[in-house]
Amino acid sequence: WVDIYLASGTGANTTSVNGGTISDTRNWMDFVDDGLAVGKRLLTDTEFTSIATGSNEETNITGSEDPGTTSGHVDTAGRRMISNIGCEDCCGVVMQWLQDQSYYYYGATAYWGNLPGGKGSSYGQFAADPGADEVDNNDSGGDVKLFAGGPWSGAVYAGSRSRFTACFRWAANSSLGARFAVEPL
């Protein structure tokens, strides 16, 4: 089972609702926690392709701005932003965190970086400030997670098979969101 709408709310209040406020500006770890709080998980790469097929390709939301809320949007080609199976806003609204792991080699010496929120550390090559108290948006590092779908500001990057493979799990900004899945009962 997959959420029709992008995630709204946080923690135990995480939901997928028509017209809800899109949850964004949260890192991968926070979205994982949100999903777990309601018995859900992030989609895999293959699952995203499956649920997003039939969505708009290489177009983004009309106005190329953060819509703030889920559902009912139209793309820059005047087409409703909905997939073949009825999932809303899969492509060209926010890049959606996926479960899948990737790695970007920076060629730098590896070191331990403390993850935000006291969630452990990550060991890898980071292209920023070694030895800082905590990794943050200034640290681009080898340990990355996949994003799918494409942002509201980049039509050419949007699509059911669009992937962004160079973002670290602690990144957080307004063009990053999530969608959840759950195993059927």
Side-chain angles (χ1 to χ4, degrees):
W1 300 88
V2 65
D3 288 345
I4 294 171
Y5 309 103
L6 292 164
S8 297
T10 61
N13 295 318
T14 301
T15 188
S16 168
V17 62
N18 185 12
T21 300
I22 297 171
S23 294
D24 58 22
T25 318
R26 296 177 60 71
N27 66 46
W28 180 87
M29 297 168 290
D30 291 338
F31 274 116
V32 167
D33 290 345
D34 292 343
L36 290 172
V38 293
K40 296 180 180 181
R41 62 172 173 76
L42 295 171
L43 276 66
T44 66
D45 180 28
T46 305
E47 289 170 338
F48 183 86
T49 297
S50 177
I51 68 104
T53 297
S55 295
N56 51 298
E57 303 282 353
E58 297 185 349
T59 62
N60 60 298
I61 193 164
T62 297
S64 302
E65 294 179 355
D66 185 348
T69 60
T70 64
S71 185
H73 301 119
V74 175
D75 71 5
T76 52
R79 179 186 184 275
R80 181 78 190 284
M81 300 174 79
I82 191 166
S83 74
N84 288 345
I85 66 166
C87 290
E88 300 268 359
D89 302 333
C90 294
C91 307
V93 176
V94 294
M95 294 189 294
Q96 297 167 51
W97 288 107
L98 299 179
Q99 277 188 357
D100 301 271
Q101 184 75 22
S102 187
Y103 195 85
Y104 184 86
Y105 179 69
Y106 279 93
T109 302
Y111 67 93
W112 284 100
N114 295 327
L115 296 171
K119 295 181 179 175
S121 298
S122 180
Y123 184 81
Q125 291 119 349
F126 302 101
D129 50 355
D133 291 340
E134 183 174 276
V135 292
D136 58 25
N137 282 343
N138 295 317
D139 297 286
S140 47
D143 175 12
V144 298
K145 294 291 184 178
L146 290 179
F147 286 111
W152 40 263
S153 60
V156 297
Y157 307 117
S160 60
R161 284 145 182 86
S162 171
R163 300 297 182 270
F164 187 74
T165 60
C167 207
F168 35 92
R169 70 174 78 196
W170 51 88
N173 67 56
S174 63
S175 66
L176 309 178
R179 181 182 309 266
F180 295 105
V182 65
E183 301 306 318
L185 298 175

